Amino acid sequence: MIEISRIREQKDEVVNGLKVRGLDVATEVEQILNLDKQWRTKKQEMDSALAEMNQISKEIGQLFQQGKKDEAEAAKQKTGELKERSQTLKTEFSDLEKQINDLLLNIPNVPNKLVPEGATEDDNEVVFEKGTIPTFDFNALPHWDLATKYDIIDWEMGVKVTGAGFPFYKNQGARLQRGLINFFLDEAIKAGYSEYVPPFVINEDSGYGTGQLPDKEGQMYQVTADNLYLIPTSEVPLVNTLRGDRVKKEDLPIKLTAYSPCFRREAGSYGKDVRGLNRLHQFDKVELVMASDQESSYQELDKMVEHVKGLLEKLELPYRILRLCGGDLGVTAAITYDFEVYSTAQERWLEISSCSNVETYQANRMKLRYKDEEGNTKLCHTLNGSALALPRVIAGILENHQDANGINMPKALVPYVGFERIQ
RNA sequence: GGAGAAUUGGCAGAGUGGUCGAAUGCGGCAGUCUUGAAAACUGUUGUGCGGCAACGUACCGGGGGUUCGAAUCCCUCAUUCUCCGCCA
């Protein structure tokens, strides 16, 4: 959630910044400022009414203690109207607060200056590209056929047991999955992240803290009996470990990593986009999360991007990095770098990681703060990135490292999976 | 799942419905003393919101209620501990 102070003090920057997303929030901003003005007036009215009430109550108390019961009773009579008035003021005050809050919740994060203007993914900016796309002199297969051919993923078994989008990994496929998780976690630990194993379900407050609620509850699986949600990414439990915290500046950045399955309903997705491993309802991911001070968050984002680059190079996959345009940027992000791996057989790029600086957007909601050198309380910046999402890594490995009768493992992965080749 | 006890400031721990934002101790910060440090002593020390400020207001696990007035009474939820049951 955007800070109200930012709208008060830098309204033009906010309005102009959001134009990059193709949004015009000029009217909303004016509405907020107007309500904010009313809110402040109401706050003063309410506070002085309460002050008056407190004063009278105190006097009544003193009268009782002095044994002047009649005077006290008389004073009680006078409070009725005042009490009613302060009740009304309280209601009006919280109504205003709610209105402002609702409007603020609907304003996405203001994009960083580097974010290109644009409406759709076609306007994303390719900022880096590496690796060679292999050419095959045999009939190269897409990963779903390779997976079936080498009996490492069973799609029908998943449909039978659960439904579409919940495949079983088997044999070398299961070991590949397990090896990748360990590989990614070890690399994250080497980069200074602390490893957590988080809960895979979260409560409402956590959903609100990271921004899944109140808008996107339809994208999460719900455990209605207990009012819990299956996590769509371990970013949610990881960032929420810091909810409401006041951290020491010298402890920043706080760097957390976790492996978790991710559950997404993906309502409305269909067709070739969801074929094979392209889009699943449950998939595994190793996530990176960081809380930093305001000054160094962009340097930390660069480090995170470097880390992910390193992973893809060790996996010997052709990839590119996109800077998302305003229209493609998620609501909470100020900037996002997407990593895409090339799917040789599908002849398309698959998103495999997304590294974002959310700045204060989550920290403001969850009141995650630190004190700077002058002793001023400031909101942290939070960052998150995938390192990496497993299914598309597997798709990439299968398709790019295939030959006529098998799939070669990248060297870095061999000690983790315990074999050099799937065949 | 059943029964009981508890939840107070960074921590520990008081708190009869009315000068309680909250005793006291520890810790923190500043100072005195000291060549320096420790000890001792003195002072100071929660957070949010509004306000130029004075100040006001809110916060004693969360939410609701009773009352002129709630940390204190009632309801409800959550969490922790003890006992019983069940169980990987």
Side-chain angles (χ1 to χ4, degrees), chain A residues 40 44 47 57 64 76:
Chain A
R40 283 192 274 182
Q44 295 196 10
D47 279 356
S57 296
F64 270 119
K76 267 200 208 178

mmCIF file with all atom_site columns, all heavy atoms in Angstrom, chain A residues 40 44 47 57 64 76, chain B residues 18 49-51 56-57 68:
data_model
loop_
_atom_site.group_PDB
_atom_site.id
_atom_site.type_symbol
_atom_site.label_atom_id
_atom_site.label_alt_id
_atom_site.label_comp_id
_atom_site.label_asym_id
_atom_site.label_entity_id
_atom_site.label_seq_id
_atom_site.pdbx_PDB_ins_code
_atom_site.Cartn_x
_atom_site.Cartn_y
_atom_site.Cartn_z
_atom_site.occupancy
_atom_site.B_iso_or_equiv
_atom_site.pdbx_formal_charge
_atom_site.auth_seq_id
_atom_site.auth_comp_id
_atom_site.auth_asym_id
_atom_site.auth_atom_id
_atom_site.pdbx_PDB_model_num
ATOM 1   N N     . ARG A 1 40 ? -8.256  14.767 9.009  1.00 0.00 ? 40 ARG A N     1
ATOM 2   C CA    . ARG A 1 40 ? -7.459  15.473 10.006 1.00 0.00 ? 40 ARG A CA    1
ATOM 3   C C     . ARG A 1 40 ? -8.317  16.408 10.853 1.00 0.00 ? 40 ARG A C     1
ATOM 4   O O     . ARG A 1 40 ? -8.123  16.507 12.062 1.00 0.00 ? 40 ARG A O     1
ATOM 5   C CB    . ARG A 1 40 ? -6.321  16.234 9.331  1.00 0.00 ? 40 ARG A CB    1
ATOM 6   C CG    . ARG A 1 40 ? -5.207  15.270 8.950  1.00 0.00 ? 40 ARG A CG    1
ATOM 7   C CD    . ARG A 1 40 ? -3.958  15.997 8.558  1.00 0.00 ? 40 ARG A CD    1
ATOM 8   N NE    . ARG A 1 40 ? -3.981  16.354 7.146  1.00 0.00 ? 40 ARG A NE    1
ATOM 9   C CZ    . ARG A 1 40 ? -2.977  16.976 6.547  1.00 0.00 ? 40 ARG A CZ    1
ATOM 10  N NH1   . ARG A 1 40 ? -1.924  17.347 7.238  1.00 0.00 ? 40 ARG A NH1   1
ATOM 11  N NH2   . ARG A 1 40 ? -3.045  17.242 5.258  1.00 0.00 ? 40 ARG A NH2   1
ATOM 12  N N     . GLN A 1 44 ? -9.134  15.984 14.995 1.00 0.00 ? 44 GLN A N     1
ATOM 13  C CA    . GLN A 1 44 ? -9.013  17.002 16.038 1.00 0.00 ? 44 GLN A CA    1
ATOM 14  C C     . GLN A 1 44 ? -10.311 17.174 16.804 1.00 0.00 ? 44 GLN A C     1
ATOM 15  O O     . GLN A 1 44 ? -10.312 17.284 18.024 1.00 0.00 ? 44 GLN A O     1
ATOM 16  C CB    . GLN A 1 44 ? -8.574  18.329 15.418 1.00 0.00 ? 44 GLN A CB    1
ATOM 17  C CG    . GLN A 1 44 ? -7.187  18.213 14.839 1.00 0.00 ? 44 GLN A CG    1
ATOM 18  C CD    . GLN A 1 44 ? -6.536  19.558 14.566 1.00 0.00 ? 44 GLN A CD    1
ATOM 19  O OE1   . GLN A 1 44 ? -7.046  20.584 14.978 1.00 0.00 ? 44 GLN A OE1   1
ATOM 20  N NE2   . GLN A 1 44 ? -5.413  19.537 13.874 1.00 0.00 ? 44 GLN A NE2   1
ATOM 21  N N     . ASP A 1 47 ? -10.675 14.113 19.005 1.00 0.00 ? 47 ASP A N     1
ATOM 22  C CA    . ASP A 1 47 ? -9.745  14.133 20.134 1.00 0.00 ? 47 ASP A CA    1
ATOM 23  C C     . ASP A 1 47 ? -10.184 15.115 21.204 1.00 0.00 ? 47 ASP A C     1
ATOM 24  O O     . ASP A 1 47 ? -10.070 14.828 22.397 1.00 0.00 ? 47 ASP A O     1
ATOM 25  C CB    . ASP A 1 47 ? -8.326  14.476 19.654 1.00 0.00 ? 47 ASP A CB    1
ATOM 26  C CG    . ASP A 1 47 ? -7.620  13.259 19.079 1.00 0.00 ? 47 ASP A CG    1
ATOM 27  O OD1   . ASP A 1 47 ? -8.204  12.156 19.132 1.00 0.00 ? 47 ASP A OD1   1
ATOM 28  O OD2   . ASP A 1 47 ? -6.496  13.405 18.569 1.00 0.00 ? 47 ASP A OD2   1
ATOM 29  N N     . SER A 1 57 ? -15.007 12.725 33.392 1.00 0.00 ? 57 SER A N     1
ATOM 30  C CA    . SER A 1 57 ? -14.924 11.456 34.121 1.00 0.00 ? 57 SER A CA    1
ATOM 31  C C     . SER A 1 57 ? -13.990 11.575 35.303 1.00 0.00 ? 57 SER A C     1
ATOM 32  O O     . SER A 1 57 ? -14.243 11.049 36.385 1.00 0.00 ? 57 SER A O     1
ATOM 33  C CB    . SER A 1 57 ? -14.425 10.345 33.195 1.00 0.00 ? 57 SER A CB    1
ATOM 34  O OG    . SER A 1 57 ? -15.341 10.130 32.171 1.00 0.00 ? 57 SER A OG    1
ATOM 35  N N     . PHE A 1 64 ? -16.627 11.535 43.770 1.00 0.00 ? 64 PHE A N     1
ATOM 36  C CA    . PHE A 1 64 ? -16.963 10.313 44.490 1.00 0.00 ? 64 PHE A CA    1
ATOM 37  C C     . PHE A 1 64 ? -15.991 10.074 45.630 1.00 0.00 ? 64 PHE A C     1
ATOM 38  O O     . PHE A 1 64 ? -16.366 9.695  46.732 1.00 0.00 ? 64 PHE A O     1
ATOM 39  C CB    . PHE A 1 64 ? -16.948 9.100  43.550 1.00 0.00 ? 64 PHE A CB    1
ATOM 40  C CG    . PHE A 1 64 ? -18.284 8.837  42.917 1.00 0.00 ? 64 PHE A CG    1
ATOM 41  C CD1   . PHE A 1 64 ? -18.460 8.877  41.543 1.00 0.00 ? 64 PHE A CD1   1
ATOM 42  C CD2   . PHE A 1 64 ? -19.393 8.536  43.722 1.00 0.00 ? 64 PHE A CD2   1
ATOM 43  C CE1   . PHE A 1 64 ? -19.696 8.637  40.968 1.00 0.00 ? 64 PHE A CE1   1
ATOM 44  C CE2   . PHE A 1 64 ? -20.642 8.284  43.147 1.00 0.00 ? 64 PHE A CE2   1
ATOM 45  C CZ    . PHE A 1 64 ? -20.793 8.339  41.769 1.00 0.00 ? 64 PHE A CZ    1
ATOM 46  N N     . LYS A 1 76 ? -22.948 13.305 36.256 1.00 0.00 ? 76 LYS A N     1
ATOM 47  C CA    . LYS A 1 76 ? -23.187 12.170 35.345 1.00 0.00 ? 76 LYS A CA    1
ATOM 48  C C     . LYS A 1 76 ? -24.264 12.496 34.321 1.00 0.00 ? 76 LYS A C     1
ATOM 49  O O     . LYS A 1 76 ? -24.161 12.131 33.163 1.00 0.00 ? 76 LYS A O     1
ATOM 50  C CB    . LYS A 1 76 ? -23.646 10.956 36.153 1.00 0.00 ? 76 LYS A CB    1
ATOM 51  C CG    . LYS A 1 76 ? -22.560 10.008 36.576 1.00 0.00 ? 76 LYS A CG    1
ATOM 52  C CD    . LYS A 1 76 ? -23.202 8.679  36.900 1.00 0.00 ? 76 LYS A CD    1
ATOM 53  C CE    . LYS A 1 76 ? -22.413 7.906  37.933 1.00 0.00 ? 76 LYS A CE    1
ATOM 54  N NZ    . LYS A 1 76 ? -23.094 6.645  38.267 1.00 0.00 ? 76 LYS A NZ    1
ATOM 55  P P     . G   B 2 18 ? -10.211 2.061  40.944 1.00 0.00 ? 18 G   B P     1
ATOM 56  O OP1   . G   B 2 18 ? -8.846  1.593  40.766 1.00 0.00 ? 18 G   B OP1   1
ATOM 57  O OP2   . G   B 2 18 ? -10.802 2.192  42.271 1.00 0.00 ? 18 G   B OP2   1
ATOM 58  O "O5'" . G   B 2 18 ? -10.368 3.458  40.209 1.00 0.00 ? 18 G   B "O5'" 1
ATOM 59  C "C5'" . G   B 2 18 ? -9.596  3.719  39.035 1.00 0.00 ? 18 G   B "C5'" 1
ATOM 60  C "C4'" . G   B 2 18 ? -9.740  5.161  38.635 1.00 0.00 ? 18 G   B "C4'" 1
ATOM 61  O "O4'" . G   B 2 18 ? -11.151 5.491  38.589 1.00 0.00 ? 18 G   B "O4'" 1
ATOM 62  C "C3'" . G   B 2 18 ? -9.076  6.150  39.591 1.00 0.00 ? 18 G   B "C3'" 1
ATOM 63  O "O3'" . G   B 2 18 ? -8.366  7.083  38.805 1.00 0.00 ? 18 G   B "O3'" 1
ATOM 64  C "C2'" . G   B 2 18 ? -10.236 6.837  40.294 1.00 0.00 ? 18 G   B "C2'" 1
ATOM 65  O "O2'" . G   B 2 18 ? -10.005 8.260  40.344 1.00 0.00 ? 18 G   B "O2'" 1
ATOM 66  C "C1'" . G   B 2 18 ? -11.381 6.668  39.322 1.00 0.00 ? 18 G   B "C1'" 1
ATOM 67  N N9    . G   B 2 18 ? -12.714 6.484  39.882 1.00 0.00 ? 18 G   B N9    1
ATOM 68  C C8    . G   B 2 18 ? -13.118 5.829  41.007 1.00 0.00 ? 18 G   B C8    1
ATOM 69  N N7    . G   B 2 18 ? -14.427 5.791  41.153 1.00 0.00 ? 18 G   B N7    1
ATOM 70  C C5    . G   B 2 18 ? -14.894 6.485  40.043 1.00 0.00 ? 18 G   B C5    1
ATOM 71  C C6    . G   B 2 18 ? -16.209 6.786  39.638 1.00 0.00 ? 18 G   B C6    1
ATOM 72  O O6    . G   B 2 18 ? -17.272 6.476  40.187 1.00 0.00 ? 18 G   B O6    1
ATOM 73  N N1    . G   B 2 18 ? -16.239 7.495  38.471 1.00 0.00 ? 18 G   B N1    1
ATOM 74  C C2    . G   B 2 18 ? -15.135 7.879  37.758 1.00 0.00 ? 18 G   B C2    1
ATOM 75  N N2    . G   B 2 18 ? -15.345 8.551  36.638 1.00 0.00 ? 18 G   B N2    1
ATOM 76  N N3    . G   B 2 18 ? -13.890 7.604  38.102 1.00 0.00 ? 18 G   B N3    1
ATOM 77  C C4    . G   B 2 18 ? -13.852 6.917  39.259 1.00 0.00 ? 18 G   B C4    1
ATOM 78  P P     . C   B 2 49 ? 2.788   7.820  12.890 1.00 0.00 ? 49 C   B P     1
ATOM 79  O OP1   . C   B 2 49 ? 2.963   7.686  11.441 1.00 0.00 ? 49 C   B OP1   1
ATOM 80  O OP2   . C   B 2 49 ? 3.775   8.566  13.694 1.00 0.00 ? 49 C   B OP2   1
ATOM 81  O "O5'" . C   B 2 49 ? 1.358   8.453  13.182 1.00 0.00 ? 49 C   B "O5'" 1
ATOM 82  C "C5'" . C   B 2 49 ? 0.193   7.932  12.555 1.00 0.00 ? 49 C   B "C5'" 1
ATOM 83  C "C4'" . C   B 2 49 ? -1.031  8.624  13.108 1.00 0.00 ? 49 C   B "C4'" 1
ATOM 84  O "O4'" . C   B 2 49 ? -1.141  8.365  14.532 1.00 0.00 ? 49 C   B "O4'" 1
ATOM 85  C "C3'" . C   B 2 49 ? -0.998  10.143 13.048 1.00 0.00 ? 49 C   B "C3'" 1
ATOM 86  O "O3'" . C   B 2 49 ? -1.302  10.639 11.759 1.00 0.00 ? 49 C   B "O3'" 1
ATOM 87  C "C2'" . C   B 2 49 ? -2.054  10.502 14.083 1.00 0.00 ? 49 C   B "C2'" 1
ATOM 88  O "O2'" . C   B 2 49 ? -3.348  10.250 13.603 1.00 0.00 ? 49 C   B "O2'" 1
ATOM 89  C "C1'" . C   B 2 49 ? -1.714  9.491  15.182 1.00 0.00 ? 49 C   B "C1'" 1
ATOM 90  N N1    . C   B 2 49 ? -0.757  10.035 16.163 1.00 0.00 ? 49 C   B N1    1
ATOM 91  C C2    . C   B 2 49 ? -1.263  10.856 17.194 1.00 0.00 ? 49 C   B C2    1
ATOM 92  O O2    . C   B 2 49 ? -2.472  11.085 17.237 1.00 0.00 ? 49 C   B O2    1
ATOM 93  N N3    . C   B 2 49 ? -0.407  11.365 18.117 1.00 0.00 ? 49 C   B N3    1
ATOM 94  C C4    . C   B 2 49 ? 0.897   11.092 18.034 1.00 0.00 ? 49 C   B C4    1
ATOM 95  N N4    . C   B 2 49 ? 1.698   11.622 18.951 1.00 0.00 ? 49 C   B N4    1
ATOM 96  C C5    . C   B 2 49 ? 1.443   10.278 16.996 1.00 0.00 ? 49 C   B C5    1
ATOM 97  C C6    . C   B 2 49 ? 0.578   9.767  16.090 1.00 0.00 ? 49 C   B C6    1
ATOM 98  P P     . G   B 2 50 ? -0.555  11.972 11.258 1.00 0.00 ? 50 G   B P     1
ATOM 99  O OP1   . G   B 2 50 ? -0.838  12.085 9.808  1.00 0.00 ? 50 G   B OP1   1
ATOM 100 O OP2   . G   B 2 50 ? 0.827   12.005 11.745 1.00 0.00 ? 50 G   B OP2   1
ATOM 101 O "O5'" . G   B 2 50 ? -1.364  13.103 12.027 1.00 0.00 ? 50 G   B "O5'" 1
ATOM 102 C "C5'" . G   B 2 50 ? -2.728  13.321 11.727 1.00 0.00 ? 50 G   B "C5'" 1
ATOM 103 C "C4'" . G   B 2 50 ? -3.302  14.335 12.673 1.00 0.00 ? 50 G   B "C4'" 1
ATOM 104 O "O4'" . G   B 2 50 ? -3.250  13.820 14.023 1.00 0.00 ? 50 G   B "O4'" 1
ATOM 105 C "C3'" . G   B 2 50 ? -2.550  15.648 12.772 1.00 0.00 ? 50 G   B "C3'" 1
ATOM 106 O "O3'" . G   B 2 50 ? -2.842  16.511 11.692 1.00 0.00 ? 50 G   B "O3'" 1
ATOM 107 C "C2'" . G   B 2 50 ? -3.060  16.182 14.100 1.00 0.00 ? 50 G   B "C2'" 1
ATOM 108 O "O2'" . G   B 2 50 ? -4.369  16.680 13.972 1.00 0.00 ? 50 G   B "O2'" 1
ATOM 109 C "C1'" . G   B 2 50 ? -3.083  14.896 14.932 1.00 0.00 ? 50 G   B "C1'" 1
ATOM 110 N N9    . G   B 2 50 ? -1.835  14.712 15.682 1.00 0.00 ? 50 G   B N9    1
ATOM 111 C C8    . G   B 2 50 ? -0.751  13.949 15.333 1.00 0.00 ? 50 G   B C8    1
ATOM 112 N N7    . G   B 2 50 ? 0.217   13.994 16.208 1.00 0.00 ? 50 G   B N7    1
ATOM 113 C C5    . G   B 2 50 ? -0.258  14.849 17.195 1.00 0.00 ? 50 G   B C5    1
ATOM 114 C C6    . G   B 2 50 ? 0.351   15.293 18.402 1.00 0.00 ? 50 G   B C6    1
ATOM 115 O O6    . G   B 2 50 ? 1.460   15.006 18.857 1.00 0.00 ? 50 G   B O6    1
ATOM 116 N N1    . G   B 2 50 ? -0.485  16.162 19.104 1.00 0.00 ? 50 G   B N1    1
ATOM 117 C C2    . G   B 2 50 ? -1.727  16.554 18.702 1.00 0.00 ? 50 G   B C2    1
ATOM 118 N N2    . G   B 2 50 ? -2.376  17.401 19.504 1.00 0.00 ? 50 G   B N2    1
ATOM 119 N N3    . G   B 2 50 ? -2.310  16.147 17.578 1.00 0.00 ? 50 G   B N3    1
ATOM 120 C C4    . G   B 2 50 ? -1.524  15.300 16.882 1.00 0.00 ? 50 G   B C4    1
ATOM 121 P P     . G   B 2 51 ? -1.716  17.483 11.157 1.00 0.00 ? 51 G   B P     1
ATOM 122 O OP1   . G   B 2 51 ? -2.345  18.262 10.075 1.00 0.00 ? 51 G   B OP1   1
ATOM 123 O OP2   . G   B 2 51 ? -0.487  16.704 10.888 1.00 0.00 ? 51 G   B OP2   1
ATOM 124 O "O5'" . G   B 2 51 ? -1.430  18.430 12.395 1.00 0.00 ? 51 G   B "O5'" 1
ATOM 125 C "C5'" . G   B 2 51 ? -2.375  19.427 12.750 1.00 0.00 ? 51 G   B "C5'" 1
ATOM 126 C "C4'" . G   B 2 51 ? -1.889  20.192 13.950 1.00 0.00 ? 51 G   B "C4'" 1
ATOM 127 O "O4'" . G   B 2 51 ? -1.774  19.288 15.085 1.00 0.00 ? 51 G   B "O4'" 1
ATOM 128 C "C3'" . G   B 2 51 ? -0.484  20.785 13.831 1.00 0.00 ? 51 G   B "C3'" 1
ATOM 129 O "O3'" . G   B 2 51 ? -0.488  21.994 13.103 1.00 0.00 ? 51 G   B "O3'" 1
ATOM 130 C "C2'" . G   B 2 51 ? -0.133  20.998 15.299 1.00 0.00 ? 51 G   B "C2'" 1
ATOM 131 O "O2'" . G   B 2 51 ? -0.760  22.133 15.820 1.00 0.00 ? 51 G   B "O2'" 1
ATOM 132 C "C1'" . G   B 2 51 ? -0.725  19.718 15.925 1.00 0.00 ? 51 G   B "C1'" 1
ATOM 133 N N9    . G   B 2 51 ? 0.304   18.674 15.973 1.00 0.00 ? 51 G   B N9    1
ATOM 134 C C8    . G   B 2 51 ? 0.581   17.712 15.027 1.00 0.00 ? 51 G   B C8    1
ATOM 135 N N7    . G   B 2 51 ? 1.590   16.956 15.343 1.00 0.00 ? 51 G   B N7    1
ATOM 136 C C5    . G   B 2 51 ? 2.022   17.464 16.559 1.00 0.00 ? 51 G   B C5    1
ATOM 137 C C6    . G   B 2 51 ? 3.094   17.065 17.398 1.00 0.00 ? 51 G   B C6    1
ATOM 138 O O6    . G   B 2 51 ? 3.905   16.148 17.206 1.00 0.00 ? 51 G   B O6    1
ATOM 139 N N1    . G   B 2 51 ? 3.177   17.844 18.543 1.00 0.00 ? 51 G   B N1    1
ATOM 140 C C2    . G   B 2 51 ? 2.338   18.887 18.851 1.00 0.00 ? 51 G   B C2    1
ATOM 141 N N2    . G   B 2 51 ? 2.587   19.520 19.988 1.00 0.00 ? 51 G   B N2    1
ATOM 142 N N3    . G   B 2 51 ? 1.333   19.267 18.078 1.00 0.00 ? 51 G   B N3    1
ATOM 143 C C4    . G   B 2 51 ? 1.232   18.523 16.971 1.00 0.00 ? 51 G   B C4    1
ATOM 144 P P     . G   B 2 56 ? -2.375  17.472 27.721 1.00 0.00 ? 56 G   B P     1
ATOM 145 O OP1   . G   B 2 56 ? -3.180  17.632 28.941 1.00 0.00 ? 56 G   B OP1   1
ATOM 146 O OP2   . G   B 2 56 ? -1.160  16.633 27.730 1.00 0.00 ? 56 G   B OP2   1
ATOM 147 O "O5'" . G   B 2 56 ? -3.317  16.940 26.550 1.00 0.00 ? 56 G   B "O5'" 1
ATOM 148 C "C5'" . G   B 2 56 ? -4.516  17.634 26.241 1.00 0.00 ? 56 G   B "C5'" 1
ATOM 149 C "C4'" . G   B 2 56 ? -5.073  17.122 24.943 1.00 0.00 ? 56 G   B "C4'" 1
ATOM 150 O "O4'" . G   B 2 56 ? -4.112  17.354 23.873 1.00 0.00 ? 56 G   B "O4'" 1
ATOM 151 C "C3'" . G   B 2 56 ? -5.292  15.618 24.876 1.00 0.00 ? 56 G   B "C3'" 1
ATOM 152 O "O3'" . G   B 2 56 ? -6.476  15.239 25.541 1.00 0.00 ? 56 G   B "O3'" 1
ATOM 153 C "C2'" . G   B 2 56 ? -5.363  15.400 23.370 1.00 0.00 ? 56 G   B "C2'" 1
ATOM 154 O "O2'" . G   B 2 56 ? -6.597  15.859 22.852 1.00 0.00 ? 56 G   B "O2'" 1
ATOM 155 C "C1'" . G   B 2 56 ? -4.246  16.335 22.891 1.00 0.00 ? 56 G   B "C1'" 1
ATOM 156 N N9    . G   B 2 56 ? -2.967  15.614 22.750 1.00 0.00 ? 56 G   B N9    1
ATOM 157 C C8    . G   B 2 56 ? -1.888  15.640 23.591 1.00 0.00 ? 56 G   B C8    1
ATOM 158 N N7    . G   B 2 56 ? -0.898  14.896 23.175 1.00 0.00 ? 56 G   B N7    1
ATOM 159 C C5    . G   B 2 56 ? -1.364  14.331 21.987 1.00 0.00 ? 56 G   B C5    1
ATOM 160 C C6    . G   B 2 56 ? -0.744  13.433 21.078 1.00 0.00 ? 56 G   B C6    1
ATOM 161 O O6    . G   B 2 56 ? 0.391   12.934 21.143 1.00 0.00 ? 56 G   B O6    1
ATOM 162 N N1    . G   B 2 56 ? -1.576  13.127 20.006 1.00 0.00 ? 56 G   B N1    1
ATOM 163 C C2    . G   B 2 56 ? -2.847  13.614 19.835 1.00 0.00 ? 56 G   B C2    1
ATOM 164 N N2    . G   B 2 56 ? -3.488  13.200 18.747 1.00 0.00 ? 56 G   B N2    1
ATOM 165 N N3    . G   B 2 56 ? -3.441  14.459 20.665 1.00 0.00 ? 56 G   B N3    1
ATOM 166 C C4    . G   B 2 56 ? -2.649  14.769 21.708 1.00 0.00 ? 56 G   B C4    1
ATOM 167 P P     . U   B 2 57 ? -6.546  13.800 26.266 1.00 0.00 ? 57 U   B P     1
ATOM 168 O OP1   . U   B 2 57 ? -7.815  13.742 27.015 1.00 0.00 ? 57 U   B OP1   1
ATOM 169 O OP2   . U   B 2 57 ? -5.271  13.522 26.969 1.00 0.00 ? 57 U   B OP2   1
ATOM 170 O "O5'" . U   B 2 57 ? -6.630  12.830 25.008 1.00 0.00 ? 57 U   B "O5'" 1
ATOM 171 C "C5'" . U   B 2 57 ? -7.715  12.901 24.095 1.00 0.00 ? 57 U   B "C5'" 1
ATOM 172 C "C4'" . U   B 2 57 ? -7.436  12.010 22.919 1.00 0.00 ? 57 U   B "C4'" 1
ATOM 173 O "O4'" . U   B 2 57 ? -6.245  12.467 22.239 1.00 0.00 ? 57 U   B "O4'" 1
ATOM 174 C "C3'" . U   B 2 57 ? -7.104  10.568 23.281 1.00 0.00 ? 57 U   B "C3'" 1
ATOM 175 O "O3'" . U   B 2 57 ? -8.289  9.820  23.521 1.00 0.00 ? 57 U   B "O3'" 1
ATOM 176 C "C2'" . U   B 2 57 ? -6.340  10.102 22.045 1.00 0.00 ? 57 U   B "C2'" 1
ATOM 177 O "O2'" . U   B 2 57 ? -7.212  9.838  20.974 1.00 0.00 ? 57 U   B "O2'" 1
ATOM 178 C "C1'" . U   B 2 57 ? -5.522  11.360 21.722 1.00 0.00 ? 57 U   B "C1'" 1
ATOM 179 N N1    . U   B 2 57 ? -4.174  11.329 22.336 1.00 0.00 ? 57 U   B N1    1
ATOM 180 C C2    . U   B 2 57 ? -3.184  10.649 21.661 1.00 0.00 ? 57 U   B C2    1
ATOM 181 O O2    . U   B 2 57 ? -3.383  10.088 20.605 1.00 0.00 ? 57 U   B O2    1
ATOM 182 N N3    . U   B 2 57 ? -1.956  10.659 22.262 1.00 0.00 ? 57 U   B N3    1
ATOM 183 C C4    . U   B 2 57 ? -1.611  11.271 23.449 1.00 0.00 ? 57 U   B C4    1
ATOM 184 O O4    . U   B 2 57 ? -0.453  11.196 23.863 1.00 0.00 ? 57 U   B O4    1
ATOM 185 C C5    . U   B 2 57 ? -2.695  11.950 24.096 1.00 0.00 ? 57 U   B C5    1
ATOM 186 C C6    . U   B 2 57 ? -3.913  11.958 23.532 1.00 0.00 ? 57 U   B C6    1
ATOM 187 P P     . C   B 2 68 ? -23.319 5.402  32.685 1.00 0.00 ? 68 C   B P     1
ATOM 188 O OP1   . C   B 2 68 ? -24.221 6.113  33.606 1.00 0.00 ? 68 C   B OP1   1
ATOM 189 O OP2   . C   B 2 68 ? -23.803 4.898  31.371 1.00 0.00 ? 68 C   B OP2   1
ATOM 190 O "O5'" . C   B 2 68 ? -22.058 6.331  32.405 1.00 0.00 ? 68 C   B "O5'" 1
ATOM 191 C "C5'" . C   B 2 68 ? -22.179 7.471  31.562 1.00 0.00 ? 68 C   B "C5'" 1
ATOM 192 C "C4'" . C   B 2 68 ? -20.961 8.344  31.735 1.00 0.00 ? 68 C   B "C4'" 1
ATOM 193 O "O4'" . C   B 2 68 ? -20.989 8.948  33.058 1.00 0.00 ? 68 C   B "O4'" 1
ATOM 194 C "C3'" . C   B 2 68 ? -19.640 7.595  31.710 1.00 0.00 ? 68 C   B "C3'" 1
ATOM 195 O "O3'" . C   B 2 68 ? -19.201 7.386  30.380 1.00 0.00 ? 68 C   B "O3'" 1
ATOM 196 C "C2'" . C   B 2 68 ? -18.728 8.548  32.470 1.00 0.00 ? 68 C   B "C2'" 1
ATOM 197 O "O2'" . C   B 2 68 ? -18.328 9.643  31.676 1.00 0.00 ? 68 C   B "O2'" 1
ATOM 198 C "C1'" . C   B 2 68 ? -19.670 9.035  33.560 1.00 0.00 ? 68 C   B "C1'" 1
ATOM 199 N N1    . C   B 2 68 ? -19.574 8.222  34.796 1.00 0.00 ? 68 C   B N1    1
ATOM 200 C C2    . C   B 2 68 ? -18.432 8.346  35.607 1.00 0.00 ? 68 C   B C2    1
ATOM 201 O O2    . C   B 2 68 ? -17.545 9.130  35.282 1.00 0.00 ? 68 C   B O2    1
ATOM 202 N N3    . C   B 2 68 ? -18.342 7.626  36.725 1.00 0.00 ? 68 C   B N3    1
ATOM 203 C C4    . C   B 2 68 ? -19.328 6.783  37.067 1.00 0.00 ? 68 C   B C4    1
ATOM 204 N N4    . C   B 2 68 ? -19.180 6.080  38.186 1.00 0.00 ? 68 C   B N4    1
ATOM 205 C C5    . C   B 2 68 ? -20.486 6.617  36.257 1.00 0.00 ? 68 C   B C5    1
ATOM 206 C C6    . C   B 2 68 ? -20.578 7.352  35.146 1.00 0.00 ? 68 C   B C6    1
#
